[in-house]
Amino acid sequence: MSSVTKKNIIRTLTMIALGVAINLIISGIVSHFGLPLYLDSIGTMYIAALGGTFPGMMVGFITNMIGGLSDTSTFYYGTINVLIAFIAGVAAERGYFDKFYKVFMLVPFYLLLSIPVSVITYILYEFQIGDTASAPVAMFLHAHGLSVLLSQILGDFAVEIPDKIISLLIAFLLYKIIPDKVKKELSLISGKELKKNLSPEDQEMRSSLRIQIGFWFSLAGILIVMVAFFISYKTYMETRVEGFPEIYDPVQLRTETLLYSGKMLSAVLGLLMCIVSFAMVLADHVVVTPLHKMAKEMRRFAYDSENGRDKSVNKIKSLDIHTGNEIEELYVAISKTVEDIDDYIDKTNEQAEMISDLHVNIITALADIVESRDETTGYHVKRTAEYCRIIAKELRRSGKYTDELTDEFIETLTIAAPIHDIGKIKIPDAILNKPGRLTDEEYEVIKTHTTEGYNMLIKAKDTLGETAYLEMAQDIAYCHHEWWDGSAKGYPRRLSGTNIPLSARIMAVADVFDALVSKRPYKDGLPVDKTLDIMVEEAGTHFDPEVVEALLRVKNKVTSIMDMYS
């Protein structure tokens, strides 16, 4: 048994003892001075508001059992005091004891409860006015023509109204003098404090299980009451007539037996309600609450980031559930499982990162192999990849093409860009590295590097499977020489506008910019400002205007990349 459980047991027993003492002391004072009141449920209301329905019910039931030692009829009102506790406990959960005026809204409920009190009194005193605090009023009403039962009910109303108002007032004052910190700790016994912090979704999930448990407990209790009533009825009747069957009138015997069985039922029902309430509290602490906590945290278990997963694992471990049954075993298993899942995901991410790094290195190496055949390009692939990344981020920052420019898109673009000219591996060295101007026939051969690259990547997709990276690499390799206006200068498909993939439009700007600023054996590199002027002139014809505008805004970053890979 955990220290928390022991502490809660001690608190519960202490509250029950305190509530019983309050009931007995105050009702004893009232009896001593002969006041026309009861005031024997103040402790019941107070403890129910403070610690929940179960300790309050126990206070009411024990108070009646102790009172029954001197007055046997008190036994039979146990169920009523249990119901008084139930009303106070439920009302406290809904905040009725938080405000002075709210607590008096319970008076009508207690007046309705006085009706079964009157019926029990009517039965106990064999259908006559009961010898209770309300007897003078009830006798007066009966003397003026009202029936016994109606006189008893109205007489009880006359006493119950001031009795319950005073009782609620004293219980409220006792409740308010308790420090909030203490009330918060005591409310953990009933689960009231936990419910305050639950979202509507959590409350619904938690309540559904409690309702199911409560339903089956209540059904079992009803069956027990029915069996107890039947047994007491049969046993009493058989005992009374055994040996003297000729003495008893059947009607009188049946009436007497029903009265006896009703008394026993009233006494047993109060105890049964306490048992069901205890079972509910116990189920709440060792089943419902632990399961709810685990389910809640498992729903929140985060797979999206390492910090999120670590936080979730630590949160689940901090639940510290100790129920001493299979629930605790389940909790231990779940804690171990989520920890293993977290470790597995970390290892998987590490392996995925290693594979991704290896993938990028292979791509870069492949691009270097391709570019190494072209003796004039140098760091062209590294620069253009960085230009693409910078331009794409600037486009997104300025609100352009935001639907496409996700983090994943930009990351994939940066990786795919280096192999935009992979098709050049199929171009003969004599043409690829020709120092002078190409003939028309040679230029047509050079242009085939777009379709050759596309076909190579199609074959790679057949082998490696379809991925976002290969899809984008195909678009770039195939379309980065298309013109925005769809003119014949663009190749190989003469696409136009946004029919050209965005990745290829960005690549086109990065590729031409780098070609213009770079020195070749057959030309000198142009200054950056002159190059940008040429790009602006061709915006709307050769290039997507939005991409060119983005390039102009990141001029300084682009210049830094040029210096880094010069």
Side-chain angles (χ1 to χ4, degrees), residues 3-13 185 189 285:
S3 59
V4 175
T5 303
K6 291 178 181 178
K7 188 181 294 185
N8 283 339
I9 292 174
I10 294 172
R11 286 171 175 169
T12 302
L13 293 176
E185 290 180 358
I189 297 173
H285 280 274

Side-chain angles (χ1 to χ4, degrees), residues 104-117:
F104 295 107
M105 295 170 66
L106 301 181
V107 173
F109 294 99
Y110 286 127
L111 287 180
L112 289 175
L113 193 58
S114 73
I115 295 175
V117 172

Side-chain angles (χ1 to χ4, degrees), residues 93 100 132 146 149 173 243 291-292 298 324 423 459 521:
E93 286 187 7
F100 180 77
T132 61
L146 296 181
L149 180 57
L173 294 176
L291 285 177
H292 169 73
M298 285 302 293
K459 291 179 180 179

Side-chain angles (χ1 to χ4, degrees), residues 124-145:
L124 288 176
Y125 288 89
E126 299 182 353
F127 314 120
Q128 299 298 318
I129 302 277
D131 185 15
T132 61
S134 63
V137 178
M139 288 179 179
F140 174 81
L141 294 173
H142 181 55
H144 285 76

Side-chain angles (χ1 to χ4, degrees), residues 295-541:
K296 181 179 179 181
E297 294 307 326
M298 285 302 293
R299 289 204 313 274
R300 292 179 177 178
F301 184 64
Y303 290 88
D304 56 343
S305 67
E306 184 175 353
N307 289 336
R309 291 194 309 274
D310 290 342
K311 185 177 179 181
S312 293
V313 171
N314 292 332
K315 188 82 173 179
I316 291 170
K317 285 184 175 180
S318 69
L319 295 178
D320 196 28
I321 293 173
H322 296 287
T323 60
N325 56 27
E326 287 78 5
I327 300 295
E328 183 176 347
E329 293 180 10
L330 176 62
Y331 166 67
V332 172
I334 288 176
S335 299
K336 181 69 168 57
T337 300
V338 295
E339 190 171 13
D340 290 345
I341 290 173
D342 184 41
D343 292 340
Y344 176 77
I345 293 175
D346 286 341
K347 291 178 181 178
T348 302
N349 286 343
E350 289 176 7
Q351 293 173 351
E353 190 173 345
M354 290 174 59
I355 292 171
S356 177
D357 291 342
L358 179 62
H359 196 186
V360 172
N361 290 335
I362 291 173
I363 293 168
T364 304
L366 178 60
D368 286 340
I369 291 171
V370 173
E371 296 298 333
S372 67
R373 296 188 62 244
D374 185 345
E375 298 171 356
T376 64
T377 54
Y379 287 109
H380 172 69
V381 294
K382 293 182 175 64
R383 290 194 299 268
T384 52
E386 286 300 308
Y387 296 160
C388 286
R389 181 178 61 82
I390 293 169
I391 292 170
K393 286 189 173 183
E394 175 59 24
L395 282 169
R396 184 173 67 179
R397 188 200 65 77
S398 62
K400 308 298 182 183
Y401 306 122
T402 53
D403 290 343
E404 291 185 74
L405 290 170
T406 62
D407 288 340
E408 183 181 0
F409 181 98
I410 295 173
E411 183 66 23
T412 305
L413 173 63
T414 307
I415 297 172
I419 59 173
H420 65 281
D421 280 336
I422 190 173
K424 285 183 178 180
I425 202 168
K426 294 292 186 74
I427 306 301
D429 287 342
I431 298 176
L432 188 64
N433 294 315
K434 183 178 178 178
R437 188 177 184 87
L438 296 175
T439 66
D440 291 343
E441 292 78 9
E442 289 171 335
Y443 184 61
E444 289 300 320
V445 173
I446 282 286
K447 286 166 64 175
T448 63
H449 81 280
T450 56
T451 53
E452 292 290 354
Y454 176 75
N455 292 331
M456 290 171 65
L457 292 170
I458 286 289
K459 291 179 180 179
K461 185 171 70 173
D462 292 339
T463 302
L464 300 176
E466 192 165 336
T467 64
Y469 157 71
L470 285 176
E471 287 286 338
M472 188 176 290
Q474 290 169 26
D475 289 340
I476 293 173
Y478 203 18
C479 303
H480 70 284
H481 283 292
E482 301 284 0
W483 280 44
W484 176 259
D485 63 0
S487 66
K489 294 180 181 180
Y491 63 88
R493 301 170 63 193
R494 292 182 61 179
L495 300 176
S496 64
T498 55
N499 290 325
I500 305 169
L502 177 59
S503 56
R505 303 200 307 268
I506 295 172
M507 186 71 241
V509 170
D511 192 30
V512 173
F513 173 83
D514 193 69
L516 291 175
V517 298
S518 298
K519 183 178 180 180
R520 297 287 188 265
Y522 52 87
K523 77 172 185 71
D524 289 328
L526 295 176
V528 172
D529 289 339
K530 176 61 177 175
T531 299
L532 291 176
D533 288 342
I534 294 172
M535 305 290 289
V536 170
E537 288 178 10
E538 296 193 3
T541 55

